Amino acid sequence: NRMRLEELPGETYTSTAEIKGEADMSSVNAEYELTYKIGAKVMMLTNGSGYHNGSIGIIKKVVNSIFDDEEEIVIEIDGTDVYVVKNKWVVYKPTVKEEIVQEVDKFGQPVKKTKKTVENKEAGQVIQYPFKLGYAVTIHKAQGMTLTNGVNLKPEIWDSGQLYVALSRVDCRENIYIDGILKDKNWKLDKKVEKFYQSFDEEWKE
């Protein structure tokens, strides 16, 4: 991605994510320091007006927003110019809530007990443009995305489940081009999963 960006002429823009509260970048699929240029190929990370998670586009221009001091990025997606502003990711974290409740014991006597429940509460926010450079993306970063355009797949597999994640990002097999050969070592099956299905088969035989 950096190599392809450096090949483009013109000004380099950089946007640093704004982090509020106890949020952190590991909780969102966005770049902390996003570097881009006009003409760069990018991939959208969220659903929005004129785009969805996984949409591929080309940055056309950077303009001043009429609503605030932030800049708007004009990205051509499927032949249409889409105005993209910064996205606000809300990060939630589990918290334990305690409350005193009154119950009846086995002798029919009222007793007070402490009831604990787990709730997800807003911990903070991450504010950044909802795209990243789209020349290449790792399997890990592609999780949760739906890719509708042609994908040149050259996966580097070292753990179980990775190949499935890579293949299942694309909405139809006609849009997948696999660069090279998927070798036997790429087809990794978790031993626990294999053991589960073996026991499942034995139960059916019985």
Side-chain angles (χ1 to χ4, degrees):
N1 279 320
R2 287 194 300 267
M3 180 181 68
R4 294 296 295 273
L5 185 68
E6 291 171 357
E7 292 174 353
L8 294 174
E11 181 180 355
T12 299
Y13 298 88
T14 301
S15 172
T16 303
E18 181 182 355
I19 301 176
K20 296 183 178 181
E22 299 179 11
D24 55 72
M25 295 306 298
S26 64
S27 303
V28 300
N29 189 22
E31 302 287 342
Y32 176 71
E33 191 168 87
L34 176 64
T35 304
Y36 55 95
K37 289 182 179 181
I38 294 175
K41 180 180 179 181
V42 296
M43 176 185 291
M44 307 308 297
L45 305 176
T46 61
N47 297 323
S49 179
Y51 61 89
H52 60 265
N53 186 12
S55 292
I56 300 295
I58 302 294
I59 295 179
K60 299 292 290 296
K61 56 184 176 180
V62 179
V63 298
N64 292 324
S65 173
I66 61 175
F67 301 105
D68 49 42
D69 295 333
E70 298 290 348
E71 294 175 322
E72 291 182 321
I73 315 298
V74 181
I75 302 176
E76 182 181 345
I77 300 175
D78 295 331
T80 302
D81 286 350
V82 178
Y83 285 73
V84 178
V85 296
K86 288 186 175 180
N87 185 72
K88 181 189 295 182
W89 282 270
V90 179
V91 177
Y92 296 90
K93 291 189 176 181
T95 58
V96 178
K97 178 183 177 182
E98 294 186 0
E99 59 179 332
I100 305 298
V101 296
Q102 187 164 303
E103 298 180 354
V104 178
D105 64 15
K106 63 181 180 180
F107 302 108
Q109 300 297 317
V111 293
K112 291 183 178 180
K113 292 186 177 181
T114 301
K115 182 181 179 181
K116 296 182 179 181
T117 56
V118 178
E119 296 181 346
N120 280 327
K121 289 191 175 182
E122 182 175 332
Q125 300 173 354
V126 175
I127 302 173
Q128 179 61 288
Y129 288 110
F131 64 84
K132 63 175 62 174
L133 293 177
Y135 298 103
V137 62
T138 64
I139 295 174
H140 174 71
K141 288 292 186 179
Q143 291 188 87
M145 292 182 176
T146 300
L147 307 178
T148 58
N149 295 310
V151 174
N152 182 1
L153 183 64
K154 190 174 183 179
E156 295 183 11
I157 309 293
W158 67 86
D159 202 358
S160 59
Q162 285 185 312
L163 182 59
Y164 165 77
V165 172
L167 293 173
S168 61
R169 297 310 90 205
V170 187
D171 63 345
C172 65
R173 62 183 181 182
E174 288 79 12
N175 285 339
I176 301 177
Y177 170 74
I178 298 178
D179 186 355
I181 299 174
L182 292 176
K183 300 179 181 179
D184 289 343
K185 66 178 183 179
N186 297 136
W187 303 87
K188 291 183 178 294
L189 176 63
D190 190 300
K191 294 299 182 183
K192 292 180 181 178
V193 174
E194 184 178 15
K195 185 177 180 180
F196 169 78
Y197 277 108
Q198 287 175 348
S199 64
F200 196 70
D201 289 340
E202 291 299 324
E203 289 180 9
W204 274 103
K205 289 177 182 178
E206 291 179 3

